[in-house]
Amino acid sequence: MALIDRYLLKQLLGPTILATLALTAVALLSQSLAALDIIVSQRQTALIFGKITLLAMPQLINIVLPIALFVAALVALNRLHTEQEIVVCFAGGMSRARVIAPAMRLASVVALIALVMNLWVQPAASREMRRTVFNVRTDLASTLVQEGEFTQPAPGLTVYAQSVANGGRMRNLFIHQESDDGGATTYTADEGQMATRDGKPVLVLKKGSTQEFSREGVLQFLAFEEYVFDLGPLSETTDLVHYKPSDRYLHELFFPDLTQIWEQNNRLDLLAEGHRRLATPLYNLAFMSLALWAIIGGGFSRLGYGRRIAIASAAAGGVRIVGFIVEAGCESEAWLNILQFVIPLGTMVVALRAQFRQRASRYIDIRQRRAPLAPAAA
């Protein structure tokens, strides 16, 4: 029996891995398109793009795992059943509980992996992605200059560059800066490069000139081979990285710092996210139970199990949609959080109960043989 258990588990494991990789790739493609807009508008490197995309994977995997497990189970179980391997298991004396045990063990392992990712991997990855996106959006090189456009990154400061390459290298640069006393200074340079001097950001201008008008209207002209334009005042910011509920660990969701105004105003959102982290792994068990009911929940049929598969697929989709609705409702009503657990657990109980109502005797017993016909009387 142990050999048969391992065989059934192996038949389920392969399609589950393939389905997870396929669905994750599709979800990753959609995520990469969203990240591509940030990279293009902020002129970041492919390394930053890859980092943001990979950091989104834990959350995407948690979303696709139940679906991948459901699809893989339907494919594998349908093949095993149509080739009468499940029938052989029943005919060999295996109980219904023993036949479905490998599938439920696989679902339990997947649920445990999803729980670990929900509690530790996803928050860590989401925090790092939030910090990376924050650094990209506040990157001085990308906010200071927009290629071919006059920009005003600060009051009294106008900047233009004909072209901007990766790494902050600019060509045909123009800077106009107005001073508080009414004067103004104009800088022109053939080239410009973002750099750091003494720990402070600067813009190194090469092969250019400055034209300074004093308050009295006196013009001072200076040509230079290299000039360092201080960007320190522009880099000073009071903005901080703000972690959303999806970026926080479980203890931060259930026990927030209520001395902070944002935590006070979003207490229900944090609580709903905490219960969602604990409840969503249960959908792996619920979907596997539905897949088992669709294939093993009825008698053997050489015509296939399209009707039961369609019903199980509709039920899985409906259950997950209801789950999303409840998750949204929990952000306004705390008592709805209990439904986040009731929906997947209830689905699993109903599907398993429907399977055990079906008696194994309805399956074809391959040990039975048709008796030979008696010879006709002379």
Side-chain angles (χ1 to χ4, degrees), residues 1-17 69 72-73 76-77 79-80 85-86 89 94 98-110 288 292:
M1 292 300 181
L3 181 61
I4 296 177
D5 286 350
R6 288 196 297 270
Y7 173 76
L8 294 176
L9 184 60
K10 181 180 179 180
Q11 295 301 310
L12 289 167
L13 183 59
T16 299
I17 295 175
L69 188 65
L77 291 172
R79 184 185 63 80
L80 290 172
E85 294 184 62
I86 299 295
C89 292
M94 293 182 66
R98 190 64 183 273
V99 171
I100 70 173
M104 294 306 295
R105 283 201 297 270
L106 176 61
S108 300
V109 172
V110 173
M288 177 60 81
L292 289 169

Side-chain angles (χ1 to χ4, degrees), residues 171-186:
R171 294 187 62 83
N172 295 331
L173 193 64
F174 170 87
I175 301 175
H176 181 76
Q177 186 178 33
E178 298 177 359
S179 58
D180 296 336
D181 60 1
T185 305
T186 301

Side-chain angles (χ1 to χ4, degrees), residues 21-37 49 53-54 56-57 60 64:
L21 292 176
L23 292 177
T24 302
V26 173
L28 199 60
L29 178 61
S30 63
Q31 174 64 29
S32 63
L33 293 177
L36 186 62
D37 179 65
F49 172 75
T53 303
L54 290 177
M57 285 190 64
L60 295 177
V64 305

Side-chain angles (χ1 to χ4, degrees), residues 68-206:
L69 188 65
F70 179 72
V71 173
L74 287 177
V75 172
L77 291 172
N78 185 59
R79 184 185 63 80
L80 290 172
H81 213 0
T82 54
E83 295 178 0
Q84 301 189 19
E85 294 184 62
I86 299 295
V87 177
V88 171
C89 292
F90 283 112
M94 293 182 66
S95 65
R96 187 178 298 275
R98 190 64 183 273
V99 171
I100 70 173
M104 294 306 295
R105 283 201 297 270
L106 176 61
S108 300
V109 172
V110 173
L112 182 60
I113 293 174
L115 181 62
V116 171
M117 295 183 67
N118 274 349
L119 298 185
W120 291 287
V121 180
Q122 177 193 327
S126 297
R127 283 171 178 251
E128 182 61 28
M129 183 173 66
R130 192 74 59 191
R131 287 191 291 264
T132 302
V133 173
F134 177 82
N135 292 334
V136 167
R137 294 188 181 279
T138 57
D139 180 34
L140 190 59
S142 60
T143 58
L144 180 65
V145 182
Q146 297 294 328
E147 184 175 281
E149 298 180 8
F150 287 90
T151 60
Q152 291 183 322
L157 180 65
T158 303
V159 182
Y160 171 86
Q162 184 179 19
S163 63
V164 182
N166 290 335
R169 189 177 183 85
M170 312 168 194
R171 294 187 62 83
N172 295 331
L173 193 64
F174 170 87
I175 301 175
H176 181 76
Q177 186 178 33
E178 298 177 359
S179 58
D180 296 336
D181 60 1
T185 305
T186 301
Y187 303 84
T188 58
D190 292 344
E191 296 181 5
Q193 177 66 51
M194 301 294 298
T196 302
R197 299 287 176 85
D198 298 328
K200 297 181 179 180
V202 297
L203 179 59
V204 180
L205 305 176
K206 297 181 180 180

Side-chain angles (χ1 to χ4, degrees), residues 166-342:
N166 290 335
R169 189 177 183 85
M170 312 168 194
R171 294 187 62 83
N172 295 331
L173 193 64
F174 170 87
I175 301 175
H176 181 76
Q177 186 178 33
E178 298 177 359
S179 58
D180 296 336
D181 60 1
T185 305
T186 301
Y187 303 84
T188 58
D190 292 344
E191 296 181 5
Q193 177 66 51
M194 301 294 298
T196 302
R197 299 287 176 85
D198 298 328
K200 297 181 179 180
V202 297
L203 179 59
V204 180
L205 305 176
K206 297 181 180 180
K207 299 179 181 181
S209 63
T210 65
Q211 301 177 34
E212 181 178 357
F213 286 89
S214 65
R215 183 178 181 182
E216 292 77 15
V218 179
L219 173 63
Q220 295 181 359
F221 180 84
L222 175 66
F224 57 81
E225 285 295 320
E226 182 176 293
Y227 182 86
V228 178
F229 186 81
D230 184 20
L231 298 176
L234 298 178
S235 63
E236 297 176 357
T237 178
T238 58
D239 294 339
L240 298 175
V241 179
H242 174 70
Y243 293 125
K244 296 182 178 180
S246 59
D247 308 331
R248 305 191 179 213
Y249 290 100
L250 193 65
H251 67 278
E252 296 173 323
L253 297 172
F254 285 125
F255 307 101
D257 183 6
L258 296 181
T259 60
Q260 303 293 326
I261 297 179
W262 190 90
E263 277 77 3
Q264 294 177 11
N265 295 335
N266 295 272
R267 180 71 178 90
L268 291 179
D269 293 354
L270 297 172
L271 190 63
E273 176 66 18
H275 285 94
R276 188 197 68 80
R277 299 273 186 88
L278 297 174
T280 50
L282 297 174
Y283 283 96
N284 295 283
L285 297 170
F287 282 16
M288 177 60 81
S289 301
L290 286 172
L292 289 169
W293 171 82
I295 306 300
I296 307 179
F300 175 79
S301 173
R302 293 183 179 274
L303 299 178
Y305 310 95
R307 182 172 176 272
R308 290 207 301 266
I309 290 176
I311 294 174
S313 300
V319 165
R320 198 63 192 96
I321 291 174
V322 172
F324 285 131
I325 295 174
V326 169
E327 291 173 15
C330 291
E331 297 176 0
S332 57
E333 296 291 341
W335 67 270
L336 290 175
N337 284 302
I338 189 64
L339 295 181
Q340 294 201 56
F341 299 90
V342 170

